[in-house]
Amino acid sequence: MAGTGILAFSSPPPKVCKNTSVSCSCSASVVVTPTIQQSSDTNTDNGNIAPKSSKKFSYRRASPSVRWPHLKTTQNHPSSDTHLAVVSPTLTNVVDDGGFEVETSNSDGKGESRDVEGLEPLEISDESQEVLGRVSKTRVKKMNKLALKRAKDWRERVKFLTDRILALKQGQFVADVLDDRKVQMTPTDFCFVVKWVGQENWQRALEVYEWLNLRRWFSPNSRMLATILAVLGKANQEALAVEIFMRAEPALGNTVQVYNAMMGVYARNGRFNKVQELLDSMREKGCEPDLVSFNTLINARLKAGSLVPSLAIELLNEVRRSGLRPDVITYNTLLSACSRHSNLEEAMKIFDDMETHSCQPDLWTYNAMISVYGRCGMSYKAEQLFKDLESKGFFPDAVTYNSLLYAFARERNVDKVKEICEEMVEMGFGRDEMTYNTIIHMYGKQGQHDLALKLYRDMKLSGQNPDAVTYTVLIDSLGKANKITEASSVMSEMMNAGVKPTLQTYSALICGYARAGMQVEAVETFDCMLRSGIRPDRLAYIVMLDVFLRCNEIKKATMLYHEMIHDGFTPDSAIYEAMLRALNSENKVEDIQELIRHMEELCDMTPQALSSLLVKSECCDHAADMLRSGVSNGYAVDHENLLSILSSYSSSGRHLEARELLQFLREHTETPNQLLTEALVVVLCKASELDAALKEYSNARDFGFFGRSCTMYESLVQGCIENERLADASQVFSDMRLYGVEPSESILQAMVMVYCKMGFPETAHHLIILAEMKGILFDKCTIYVDVIEAYGRLKLWQKAESMVGNIRQRHASVDRKVWNALIQAYAVSGCYEQARAVFNTMMRDGPSPTMVSINGLLQALIIDGRLNELYVVIQELQDMGFQISKSSILLMLDAFVQAGNVYEVKKIYHGMKAAGYFPSMHLYRIMIRLFCKGKRIRDVEAMVSDMDQAGFQPDLPIWNCMLKLFSGIEDYKKTAQIYQQLQEAGLQPDEDTYNTLIIMYCRDRRPEEGLSLMHEMRKVGLDPKLDTYKSLISAFGKMQLPEQAEEIFDELCSNGYKLDRSFYHTMMKIYRNSGNHSKAENLLSMMKEAGVEPSLATMHLLMLSYGSSGQPQEAENVLTNLKQTGFNLTTLPYSTLIDSYLRNGDHDIAIQKLMEMKKEGLEADHRIWTCFIKAASLSQHTNEAIFLLNALRDAGFDLPIRLMTERSELLVSEVDNCLQKLEPMEDDAAFNFVNALEDLLWAFELRATASWVFQLAIKRCIYRQDVFRVAEKDWGADFRKLSAGSALVGLTLWLDRMQDASLQGYPDSPKSVALITGMAEYNMVSLNSTLKACLWEMGSPFLPCKTRSGLLVAKAHSLRMWLKDSPFCLDLELRDSPSLPELNSIQLIEGCFIRRGLVPAFKDITERLGLVRPKKFARLALLSEEKRNKVIKADIEAGKRMFEKSKTKTQNRRSRMIKKFRRKFNPKANVNK
């Protein structure tokens, strides 16, 4: 946790220091170890003494008879019931008590040491000294019996009076006891009374002192003053002690004893400056300090701060300079400080100095050294010194054993700890509180909390009373283990046992609550601590600040921080960082500045440290100011802080501030500009401003600043990679190598990937070889996989194969990913056999293949085009025990989709669907695209439905495919529905959508709506394609709206579009159809101005324009110009000219132009043949047709005239050969030739011949194979693009096949049968009108589709019945007429190819009745003219009557509704009525 500190704990036992630490962090540890101190009894914190517990722990082994039981010494000191503990020998010279040392140290060595210890002034009696074996300097060596009796009497008197005073209840006064003079007391007796009472209750001791002053029975002497100062010092009542000392009479106060006592008060709180002032004051007043004074000064100095190097020797020299000789207590004080701070080096210096100056060490000295060794983790040294004690003349005491016990407990050596405990018991030392505390702490550190709690229970059962240290250690251990409930229970037991929690106890529990996230309980515990009178120490403040900051209680944290500062404490850097971050988030600039000022003044932080802390706190503006301040004051620029500040500026877009900071640093530092340039480059890279970084880098390179910073190059390379600027990354890396900067392993890996992506696997491979030569071995196989895959993409599978071979030589086994990459490399090149060999190697040597390996095999087959072998390989793999995964099936599905194999796609898809899983969105998309391309409407709709079941929604590309599908089959109503669904799905139409819809409107002869949609498209910022413009222009031309077409064309020209030749050709056709031939001629000049040279096709269109307008002479002029311009003429312009003359009826001129063409060296080809055959098919008389065909025969092509005059069965092979020659020719030569030939043969009743020619065309794929689809159970037919004669032949054949199917009952028919005719015209003949006229004449059930134009639909049942029963269908066989008719059997009327005999009836019916149903038309057509006239008249009259009747009904219904409305809204009229 932020601001984690280390809590120090103290406990009351005398002579032995119990050191514990409690931390909120996992790294902190609790240390319980004995250390050597110089006094008896303490209960202190860092400056405030906590109130003593009701059951004070006294270290009973302080008695010599207990410490050395084998010496048989007698105990001769006050009973422990009075709680007066006698200390170890030679401690009379120390005023300050060493008490329990409390130290914290992080287990990782990074924690700070916090001492919370108090030192008590000692008053050791002469009797005590005698018992301890040392002769007192204040008494005679031998006492008589009277003196011994008096000594016994004063003890009894003091004990009697002490017990009476301590027995007083609240509200009773000490004066009541003292005024009752039951015992005669001397001034010395009263000194002991004040001391003994003060050990239990400092307030009562102060009452005794004040009572003596008020009564003035016994004028307080210097000894009494020193005694009360010592009592107040132990109680941490520094203010009262100072007041009593200041008001004391000079005669009493200016004595060494009093000064020493007051110095002890200050020393207890580590106030070294105050102690120094008193020492100086003593000298000024002529009171010479003694050794006790200096020992107290040393103790204060050691408490005021850590033991810096050489400080101990300096303090010793200071004592010697004063003319005094440091005694063993002086050295022991310093060694105790070394023990607290685990400073072995200084301890060794002090011990050496002690030996150098012939100061004899005592047992306390050796105990301190054992403690130092134990704390520094040198248990073997501690054990060695322990074993050498007897040789030095000392016997180990309980403190010695506990110090050694701690040394091994610190190392968690449980066996050794047990061994030492057993030895203690054998030597007569039982387990005491310190022993239990040490072992409990050891178990807590090991996480064996159950054993720690068990030992705690055993401790209580053995009669040992757990003290504050015991409870604190348990609470701390449980809190660190997140067993906060158990920790709270231990706290409750502590309170119930009457042991008052110390500061460290509260701190441990607060830390536990904080760690468990129980902020409320932590705050409540902190408040309880304050109510109990315990002031927080630094760590307690830090923990609570952290709690408040985590709860975002910034206001409370700020108030607590000010209290902390007021008490003289400062937070650590982590808490400052958290506070700065919190204040920065609230934008409290003034509070941040105050914290900065405190860190400067109170913490002595340098600008560099402050800048670093502010950077971590994200206060970059303040950090930049501190950086400027530091540089101005001569500090060096901290590179990391600079980079962090610049990065923050860059990430927030504050590039100006970043540049200003850099400029300031360049002006105020001697650092080369290269460093700042590199820093700026790195920051710009981190801020994702790669262009600026590259520019700065390029400028520096141009000026000769060749950077040696690996970080800069790495940042540039990484930035280029992230932005996919691989070429720049390659350049930077090349510079890096050129300037001798050694690339790191990560950069090498990144560059290998870059070169693989750039398609340079050889370079990447070279980098790997260089890295291996330098000892860099890439652990990740992905590096090798990338190179192998890159080789594979370039189809360099041989090099990939070689690389894998090298890997096999260096490694015992090859990673599966490497094998799979090699299989993939083979697959890209379609090398299935090599991939299969690798697969077999994996099967034999391992690792076993995976689905990736299998997919590689399948892909190799797919790329090699061996789709037919996929199922074989799949079966082999299944026989080997492999399960074919979904990815493999999807791969096969994708392959068949790409191949356009609808059958296999549907088969695989239905198998997947049956297995319960569906393809990905990508496969749905390409399958729907495939079905749309094949115009498989039902499959598309089923696929969309399956997508919805699989949880996919069609995306815009799918909707666009469906739009193109229905637009392509001219189902415009469905197209509109699809577009509506697209909008309901919340998708925005894109360019493809708009273009499809506009083209749809153009095909549906609604160019105005298409134009409106184009304007809408432009409003949303999309531009139509040129093909869309072309479709609009063409549609307006077909609708005879040349002005709108010309407007669009002019707009394109004016907007600078580069139009191709097809636009000009389209406009020429429009002008031709509209008869505006002058504009067609002007287009030639416009084409030349636009840089588009007119081609032969252009001139051909111009000639067509003239020819269609009946101006063949103008067309001939164009041909003459072509000859003059040197065009390499073909038969195309001649065919256009000849066709124009034939259309105009000038057959002789047409034949003349044919002869001219032959003279010019051009032989008649399919174009000329088609023109003459087409003209012959439109001839009214057979003689005219024969004349034209003879002319064609004279030109070298006699096949048509022979088909007309000879037996056609003999000419089948010749026709087939002719079609075979025409197939590869351009301009649909074979298609147009067959269409013209079919018209000719049908017109002159050679229909059997027409039939086998039609079937030859299907066989040669000149006509589509699915022109009629009876065998596919579809029964539909598609006659679009066929000529009228071809369509009539196809219609007859189709009806014949449907008749056979209906009679045989197979194949089944659908519910309705569709005949697609289209709306286009072929040679000015409407196929739709021609087929309708034929079907209407036959009385068929076919009717026009209401939703689509160019589509005729019949119900299957009606169609079958008609085919069976209609007289028109009794004989559908096509036969040739025995002889040619004199007249053409077909007549062209209003774009319709109709049987000549039907023309009068057709005109009569359509002009008088309009479009009627086929059956009615057939009945009327069969009637004579007279009867038909009567029927038509009757029908007209009946229609009029029906209209009048319907009109009357409508009027009556309207009248009733009006009356009903009036009655409803006019109730008064109803009442009157």
Side-chain angles (χ1 to χ4, degrees), residues 119-131:
L119 298 178
E120 298 181 0
L122 292 182
E123 295 282 344
I124 305 301
S125 65
D126 298 333
E127 294 83 357
S128 298
Q129 294 191 35
E130 184 177 24
V131 169

Side-chain angles (χ1 to χ4, degrees), residues 822-1066:
L822 182 58
I823 291 176
Q824 187 64 32
Y826 287 135
V828 172
S829 299
C831 301
Y832 170 75
E833 283 71 20
Q834 289 85 342
R836 186 59 184 262
V838 174
F839 184 87
N840 294 337
T841 302
M842 294 176 70
M843 289 289 296
R844 184 185 67 248
D845 302 334
S848 59
T850 62
M851 288 301 104
V852 178
S853 313
I854 294 173
N855 290 344
L857 290 180
L858 299 179
Q859 189 174 358
L861 287 174
I862 292 169
I863 293 177
D864 200 25
R866 297 155 66 179
L867 299 183
N868 56 336
E869 298 181 32
L870 286 174
Y871 291 110
V872 177
V873 174
I874 290 293
Q875 186 62 46
E876 290 178 1
L877 294 172
Q878 288 179 334
D879 294 340
M880 295 168 65
F882 288 100
Q883 296 291 331
I884 304 304
S885 67
K886 178 181 177 181
S887 60
S888 302
I889 298 175
L890 293 178
L891 185 65
M892 294 172 59
L893 182 61
D894 184 47
F896 284 115
V897 168
Q898 299 298 336
N901 193 331
V902 177
Y903 173 75
E904 291 294 341
V905 168
K906 292 179 67 176
K907 184 172 74 172
I908 295 175
Y909 172 71
H910 289 308
M912 291 177 61
K913 187 176 176 183
Y917 50 83
F918 293 87
S920 63
M921 188 66 183
H922 167 70
L923 282 176
Y924 273 120
R925 191 180 296 118
I926 62 176
M927 281 194 297
I928 290 175
R929 186 181 299 121
L930 173 65
F931 292 148
C932 289
K933 186 177 180 181
K935 296 182 174 57
R936 306 181 69 88
I937 300 172
R938 294 179 182 177
D939 291 333
V940 171
E941 293 175 345
M943 191 69 65
V944 173
S945 176
D946 290 346
M947 282 184 65
D948 184 62
Q949 293 178 10
F952 293 107
Q953 294 297 325
D955 57 4
L956 193 57
I958 292 178
W959 289 119
N960 286 340
C961 286
M962 296 174 67
L963 286 174
K964 291 178 180 177
L965 167 65
F966 291 107
S967 175
I969 63 175
E970 299 181 1
D971 190 349
Y972 304 128
K973 183 177 180 181
K974 187 66 176 179
T975 305
Q977 292 175 359
I978 295 296
Y979 180 65
Q980 184 178 358
Q981 292 176 12
L982 182 151
Q983 291 179 317
E984 291 173 355
L987 300 174
Q988 294 296 327
D990 63 355
E991 181 180 343
D992 202 13
T993 310
Y994 282 114
N995 287 324
T996 303
L997 291 174
I998 293 171
I999 292 173
M1000 178 203 72
Y1001 284 126
C1002 294
R1003 290 177 179 174
D1004 199 25
R1005 299 176 179 270
R1006 293 187 289 169
E1008 296 88 352
E1009 297 179 45
L1011 184 62
S1012 175
L1013 189 61
M1014 186 183 72
H1015 293 319
E1016 180 182 342
M1017 180 182 182
R1018 287 175 174 174
K1019 288 180 181 178
V1020 296
L1022 299 175
D1023 290 329
K1025 294 181 179 178
L1026 286 176
D1027 289 341
T1028 305
Y1029 284 112
K1030 190 188 299 181
S1031 298
L1032 276 173
I1033 293 172
S1034 179
F1036 278 119
K1038 291 178 181 179
M1039 295 298 295
Q1040 303 298 320
L1041 297 171
E1043 294 82 6
Q1044 288 83 342
E1046 188 176 4
E1047 181 181 351
I1048 296 173
F1049 180 78
D1050 292 341
E1051 180 184 354
L1052 291 173
C1053 294
S1054 60
N1055 290 336
Y1057 284 93
K1058 190 173 182 179
L1059 305 179
D1060 59 10
R1061 193 176 284 110
S1062 62
F1063 277 90
Y1064 296 97
H1065 292 176
T1066 302

Side-chain angles (χ1 to χ4, degrees), residues 173-219:
F173 300 100
V174 172
D176 298 337
V177 176
L178 297 178
D179 288 340
D180 185 8
R181 303 179 184 178
K182 292 184 179 181
V183 180
Q184 184 67 31
M185 304 291 290
T186 66
T188 303
D189 295 341
F190 277 115
C191 288
F192 279 102
V193 169
V194 170
K195 179 179 179 180
W196 289 14
V197 170
Q199 290 176 352
E200 293 295 329
N201 194 321
W202 66 269
Q203 291 97 337
R204 293 298 188 185
L206 186 60
E207 283 188 61
V208 174
Y209 178 79
E210 293 296 336
W211 183 85
L212 293 173
N213 276 337
L214 291 174
R215 295 295 187 270
R216 292 195 178 273
W217 288 351
F218 301 99
S219 178

